[in-house]
Amino acid sequence: MKENDFITREEALKALKKGKRVQFHWKDKVAEISPDTTLNELRWNLMANLKLLVSDVVNGKYSIIN
């Protein structure tokens, strides 16, 4: 995935509200998210317990699943 294929967290939230599927990218891992996904769920899904920070999620990379 190229850098310009990513969207911001705000764009991801808008896409989720429209019913689109969205994924979060962190390092070399990817996890599908929903409007209700918690930080702890993301940490579990990405095997990133105590490594994934709130700032990673807020400033992170997202993409829409086609």
Side-chain angles (χ1 to χ4, degrees), residues 35-50:
D36 302 324
T37 301
T38 66
L39 179 60
N40 285 336
E41 289 171 333
L42 264 181
R43 285 176 172 161
W44 177 262
N45 293 338
L46 296 170
M47 294 179 285
N49 200 22
L50 303 177

Side-chain angles (χ1 to χ4, degrees), residues 1 3-4 6-7 13 18 20-23 25 29-31 46-47 49 52 56 58 61-62 65-66:
M1 183 160 265
E3 189 67 29
N4 57 356
F6 293 109
I7 59 175
L13 292 173
K18 292 180 180 177
K20 296 185 180 181
R21 295 175 59 210
V22 175
Q23 55 193 5
H25 301 260
K29 300 176 182 181
V30 179
L46 296 170
M47 294 179 285
N49 200 22
L52 181 67
D56 294 326
V58 171
K61 298 176 181 174
Y62 297 82
I65 300 171
N66 293 322

